[in-house]
Amino acid sequence: MAENPFAGQDVTVSDNYRTHFETYVQRREGKGARPEHQPFDRNVDFWFAAICVAVRNGIKPSPPTGKTYKAAEGVALGSPEWRPTALTLLAIAENGDASIVDRPGEMMRIANAYAHVGFPELLEILESRGGDTALDHLSEAIEAMLTK
């Protein structure tokens, strides 16, 4: 897939998760950027991780309800370049119809719904770390998910 069909779409997130983005996404560069405590480089990376956790754990997608906010513009999904393909394949699998590729808004609604149900699981991982750094604990949890 050469282009990003999501470039005109928004990554929307329940407003309840706004503070978590501020906690786990790096906001500074240089010495202030602490990946061991803020393991996600961009909002879209945190959002995508929530999708991955939901899919891996077999959680049925459910769209956000209530107040939402734009966490990122869809253009951010173009990097890394495989991400639009992954989201397109997820939308096809969820919808059961390959013609969904012609409806980027519907594909984005599916992705946002997966992220919405994945955030509680992802946050449970990040917030149950005890004395570990967020990055260490997240890495171990992902490794455990992949080996089950």
Side-chain angles (χ1 to χ4, degrees):
M1 182 171 259
E3 61 184 63
N4 177 6
F6 304 101
Q9 306 300 313
D10 291 332
V11 171
T12 57
V13 176
S14 173
D15 200 53
N16 298 336
Y17 299 120
R18 185 186 299 254
T19 58
H20 299 290
F21 276 81
E22 295 167 5
T23 301
Y24 294 112
V25 176
Q26 295 177 32
R27 298 288 182 206
R28 298 175 290 286
E29 294 181 12
K31 289 189 337 185
R34 303 287 309 257
E36 62 271 13
H37 300 294
Q38 297 172 306
F40 300 98
D41 190 38
R42 306 173 300 157
N43 283 358
V44 72
D45 301 326
F46 188 37
W47 173 85
F48 191 79
I51 292 170
C52 293
V53 168
V55 170
R56 178 65 178 107
N57 290 338
I59 304 170
K60 182 176 170 46
S62 176
T65 57
K67 187 176 178 185
T68 61
Y69 82 102
K70 181 170 86 172
E73 293 181 0
V75 71
L77 293 171
S79 171
E81 63 188 30
W82 54 263
R83 193 170 283 171
T85 302
L87 293 172
T88 299
L89 292 171
L90 176 63
I92 292 169
E94 179 64 28
N95 182 270
D97 181 4
S99 71
I100 196 168
V101 301
D102 296 325
R103 299 186 307 277
E106 180 62 26
M107 290 193 297
M108 184 58 88
R109 278 188 287 283
I110 290 169
N112 283 327
Y114 268 104
H116 179 69
V117 297
F119 275 122
E121 301 281 323
L122 179 57
L123 291 170
E124 183 177 324
I125 292 167
L126 289 165
E127 294 175 358
S128 67
R129 67 183 179 269
D132 279 350
T133 65
L135 181 59
D136 285 342
H137 193 68
L138 179 62
S139 297
E140 291 168 5
I142 290 171
E143 181 181 2
M145 275 188 236
L146 295 175
T147 58
K148 15 173 176 174

